[in-house]
Amino acid sequence: MSSPTTGVVFRPQCPPEQLRDAVRAAEDAGVAELWLWEDCFFEGSMSAAAAALAWSDRLAVGIGLVPVPLRNAALTAMELATVARMFPGRFLPGLGHGVLDWMAQVGARAASPMTLLREQTTAIRALLGGETVTTSGKHVQLDAVALDWPPPQPPPLLVGGRGPKTLRLAGELADGVILDVDQTPEGVRRQLASVQQGREAAGRADGPFRAVVYVEADPTATDLSAQMARRAAELGGVGATSVVFQPPGVAPDPRPLIEALMRS
């Protein structure tokens, strides 16, 4: 397997006015990817991603992930298409259930989160592909909806997953998966096996597919660069295509991890 791409997370516990400095640091250091989260009730992911892309020329920016209960599928597709058209080839959006307690807190928790994620992913992917979509699902109802400005090349649409059912759904419907729970090589191997089951069931096992794995890294660790390089190599060896390092803590600064990647 080839070496994975590496990146860092700008966690939403950092105030949004610090994003520009993190983007510029990542761009200047040659970091490949910067990832954003849409945790309740911090930054909005779409606005943050658009700003990060505008402040950079080369950096890929991912959203890991957009909670689908918060938005109508057509609106999500419109927003994703807008960002993808403005910054072609550098936008990596991800969809997911969201944290169910947060979704309940805002009155958006679905009775069947899996059904909602399936319907939203299917509709959004079709809309981004320029299709006219009519569907009468349990959660998504669209009547001859088509984007006026679909991206000429749709961005890869990822799904964040933890349990085997969601992982299989990611393999069946999405262009990639985001893993954020089990950071051991064996755990990643096991999760990607569930993803592969979904890909095989959908007849798409041989196509391109992204596997993004979040890894926590202590910025105070001795020889941080070497540790991060080893972790990336380990996870790349079991199928990760991107290894994205996140700082711990309630007010994390990603710059030490950016500097460590620059030295690795």
Side-chain angles (χ1 to χ4, degrees):
M1 294 183 182
S2 59
S3 298
T5 301
T6 53
V8 296
V9 175
F10 180 85
R11 289 182 54 183
Q13 289 82 3
C14 297
E17 60 268 23
Q18 294 180 4
L19 177 59
R20 187 180 188 278
D21 287 345
V23 169
R24 294 308 311 165
E27 176 94 347
D28 293 344
V31 172
E33 297 176 0
L34 180 77
W35 284 78
L36 307 168
W37 299 350
E38 190 167 78
D39 281 0
C40 294
F41 299 95
F42 296 101
E43 291 99 334
S45 61
M46 303 291 186
S47 53
L53 287 160
W55 288 326
S56 58
D57 297 313
R58 175 202 49 78
L59 189 67
V61 176
I63 300 176
L65 42 79
V66 175
V68 295
L70 290 180
R71 293 179 181 83
N72 181 278
L75 175 59
T76 300
M78 290 163 59
E79 291 186 316
L80 296 181
T82 299
V83 177
R85 285 185 70 104
M86 291 192 295
F87 306 100
R90 294 201 291 132
F91 185 38
L92 304 171
L95 307 177
H97 302 299
V99 177
L100 298 185
D101 287 345
W102 287 339
M103 299 303 100
Q105 193 175 355
V106 299
R109 180 166 179 167
S112 176
M114 280 293 299
T115 301
L116 173 61
L117 183 58
R118 173 177 292 278
E119 291 182 3
Q120 286 251 4
T121 302
T122 300
I124 291 167
R125 197 162 187 259
L127 290 168
L128 290 175
E131 299 179 29
T132 299
V133 179
T134 296
T135 183
S136 298
K138 183 176 181 181
H139 302 283
V140 177
Q141 294 89 38
L142 301 174
D143 182 8
V145 173
L147 299 180
D148 286 283
W149 295 107
Q153 288 191 315
L157 190 63
L158 286 68
V159 163
R162 294 183 176 182
K165 291 182 180 179
T166 308
L167 294 171
R168 286 193 292 270
L169 183 147
E172 177 187 348
L173 299 179
D175 302 305
V177 68
I178 302 169
L179 306 178
D180 73 338
V181 175
D182 199 333
Q183 300 168 354
T184 67
E186 183 52 40
V188 170
R189 190 197 308 273
R190 183 172 59 251
Q191 289 177 312
L192 291 181
S194 294
V195 173
Q196 185 66 12
Q197 291 174 5
R199 297 181 70 197
E200 291 173 354
R204 51 199 305 264
D206 297 326
F209 196 83
R210 295 173 183 260
V212 179
V213 181
Y214 288 144
V215 177
E216 190 170 277
D218 181 358
T220 66
T222 303
D223 203 354
L224 179 60
S225 294
Q227 290 189 27
M228 292 169 70
R230 284 196 298 271
R231 293 288 281 144
E234 289 174 352
L235 297 174
V238 295
T241 61
S242 292
V243 177
V244 184
F245 295 95
Q246 63 186 58
V250 294
D253 181 358
R255 286 174 297 180
L257 304 187
I258 291 170
E259 293 169 2
L261 284 178
M262 181 172 59
R263 296 192 299 269
S264 63

